[in-house]
Amino acid sequence: MLIIKIIAVKSSLLILIFSVFISFSVNAQNDTITLKSGDILAGEIKLISEGVLAIETAYSDTDFKIEFNKVNKLVIQRKCLIILTKARRRFGFIKSNAKQKITITLDNNLQEEYAISEIISLQEVRENFIQRFTGAIDLSYNFAKANKTNQFSVTGKLNYNSELWRFEANISSLKTNQENAELTRRTEANIELVRLLRKKLYFIIEIPFLSNTEQAIDSRISPSFGVGKFVISTNKLYLGLSSGFTLNIENYTDATLDKSSSEVFITSTFNIYDLKDFDFKTDIKFYPSISERGRIRTDYNLSLKYNLPLDFYIKLGFSLNYDNKPAFSGSEVDYIFTSGFGWSFN
């Protein structure tokens, strides 16, 4: 009799554990999207970005990517950072109670309703601080027998997003060796911290770094701070403008030319979304000098990325630096074209 009771207790315990396990499994895969065709997909919605929704399902090794304009309804069980048109940002839970509509439940249980087409991007904001970071890295190597030329380049980025803060770090480095020629070296990096404000405004702190042999620059560090505005923010494109002040600290290969100066910066950033598997971004920065009369610097960047399966991608890039009063004659312009194969994480 005792043995029967023990077996019964163990069986009940196993059933309870199995039920809890099933419950967790179901809850882990209970995000749903309903397409305009009537098809329904269940899984874990990773993000909505640049006109594409990515969802991971239990029966697929890779994420499904679906054009967001084909989505009729969606339900997400985790808290998300939602960016809407007109630069509106919301932090809460999202679900559809009607076709082409979404309801966002905020922390104070206040509910707001929007058209689903007003969503520009959506990202789960995880409780784990480390998991809020995303990044990518790509490498390129070229070798030619002529003059024993070899070239290596690397680019990388790291992003962090929360309800009111955004952090982004980028680096691009190129090194070329060639027989009977001087080493060519160029490194460009940037750290940017953005604090979102009201009425499409944001406060920005930025620290660009440049080192290149073409303009005889050992290092140029230009900490900046200013205010920006989202001029256009839709689910098709983005245009942002910012302006502020910069302290320009320059060290050259000839140390007697080292100097510091103050500048104004004016920046324009333009992104186009919904290009299927392509990502396009370009920005231009003007630096009219305050302390050096008549001097103006310009930095321009363009990147085009084609997304591949398993988070791999192919990338093309172009960067240009212009200074109308360089340290050495004939070194006003330096530019670089890059191409590479990379991988993104998180």
Side-chain angles (χ1 to χ4, degrees):
M1 191 73 177
L2 180 60
I3 294 174
I4 294 174
K5 288 184 177 180
I6 291 174
I7 292 173
V9 170
K10 287 185 176 180
S11 299
S12 300
L13 184 60
L14 287 172
I15 291 172
L16 178 61
I17 293 173
F18 181 74
S19 299
V20 171
F21 174 77
I22 292 297
S23 176
F24 277 116
S25 299
V26 170
N27 287 335
Q29 294 290 339
N30 58 358
D31 296 345
T32 59
I33 60 172
T34 303
L35 303 179
K36 292 179 179 179
S37 63
D39 295 331
I40 298 176
L41 286 175
E44 181 183 352
I45 295 175
K46 295 287 191 177
L47 56 83
I48 298 170
S49 178
E50 300 176 355
V52 175
L53 181 148
I55 181 170
E56 180 184 23
T57 65
Y59 46 83
S60 173
D61 292 333
T62 59
D63 296 345
F64 279 110
K65 293 186 177 180
I66 301 164
E67 293 180 23
F68 188 56
N69 58 16
K70 295 181 180 178
V71 175
N72 213 10
K73 299 173 67 176
L74 59 86
V75 176
I76 303 177
Q77 299 299 325
R78 297 167 313 286
K79 191 175 290 187
C80 296
L81 173 62
I82 306 113
I83 300 178
L84 303 163
T85 54
K86 300 179 182 178
R88 294 167 294 177
R89 297 170 71 91
R90 298 294 184 268
F91 186 57
F93 296 94
I94 183 171
K95 67 181 296 186
S96 295
N97 294 316
K99 293 180 180 179
Q100 293 294 299
K101 296 287 185 181
I102 57 164
T103 299
I104 301 174
T105 303
L106 307 175
D107 286 339
N108 56 5
N109 289 322
L110 178 67
Q111 292 188 333
E112 298 178 350
E113 186 175 270
Y114 300 94
I116 199 170
S117 59
E118 293 183 83
I119 297 177
I120 294 176
S121 68
L122 178 149
Q123 183 177 7
E124 174 191 357
V125 178
R126 304 178 185 179
E127 298 298 329
N128 188 316
F129 175 77
I130 297 298
Q131 291 180 326
R132 295 183 183 182
F133 285 89
T134 61
I137 185 169
D138 51 84
L139 308 170
S140 176
Y141 179 76
N142 300 303
F143 174 78
K145 180 180 178 181
N147 298 324
K148 296 182 180 179
T149 302
N150 63 83
Q151 183 182 78
F152 177 76
S153 67
V154 57
T155 64
K157 68 176 182 179
L158 184 68
N159 298 327
Y160 171 87
N161 280 295
S162 68
E163 185 177 3
L164 295 174
W165 292 91
R166 188 185 74 205
F167 169 84
E168 182 174 323
N170 296 280
I171 186 169
S172 174
S173 182
L174 171 74
K175 184 178 180 181
T176 301
N177 282 310
Q178 187 174 349
E179 193 175 54
N180 300 321
E182 292 185 5
L183 173 71
T184 299
R185 174 179 48 82
R186 175 190 170 91
T187 300
E188 191 170 11
N190 189 62
I191 296 175
E192 181 181 274
L193 182 65
V194 173
R195 173 60 161 85
L196 299 167
L197 306 172
R198 295 181 177 180
K199 297 182 179 180
K200 300 185 181 183
L201 297 175
Y202 56 86
F203 179 75
I204 183 171
I205 297 175
E206 190 173 16
I207 306 177
F209 170 85
L210 176 67
S211 174
N212 74 51
T213 52
E214 174 65 21
Q215 294 177 302
I217 299 172
D218 270 348
S219 67
R220 174 189 286 159
I221 303 174
S222 307
S224 309
F225 68 92
V227 176
K229 183 175 182 179
F230 301 106
V231 179
I232 301 175
S233 183
T234 72
N235 56 5
K236 295 292 183 182
L237 57 88
Y238 160 83
L239 174 64
L241 297 176
S242 60
S243 183
F245 297 95
T246 297
L247 174 63
N248 191 31
I249 305 167
E250 296 171 302
N251 294 308
Y252 294 90
T253 53
D254 182 352
T256 62
L257 299 173
D258 293 354
K259 59 183 175 180
S260 297
S261 59
S262 57
E263 302 171 323
V264 175
F265 77 85
I266 303 168
T267 302
S268 175
T269 302
F270 182 64
N271 294 2
I272 299 178
Y273 307 136
D274 203 14
L275 290 177
K276 298 189 181 294
D277 291 326
F278 286 95
D279 298 337
F280 175 80
K281 180 179 180 180
T282 184
D283 64 76
I284 188 167
K285 301 176 182 178
F286 297 100
Y287 295 94
S289 181
I290 299 173
S291 58
E292 293 184 75
R293 186 174 181 179
R295 185 185 182 189
I296 183 168
R297 299 189 299 112
T298 303
D299 294 338
Y300 176 73
N301 295 283
L302 181 149
S303 68
L304 180 64
K305 185 175 74 171
Y306 180 71
N307 298 308
L308 301 170
L310 301 176
D311 295 324
F312 289 99
Y313 61 86
I314 299 171
K315 183 179 179 181
L316 299 175
F318 173 72
S319 295
L320 179 144
N321 305 105
Y322 171 76
D323 187 345
N324 71 336
K325 292 187 176 181
F328 295 94
S329 176
S331 301
E332 291 186 359
V333 178
D334 182 38
Y335 61 87
I336 179 175
F337 288 94
T338 58
S339 62
F341 176 77
W343 174 72
S344 58
F345 61 88
N346 261 3

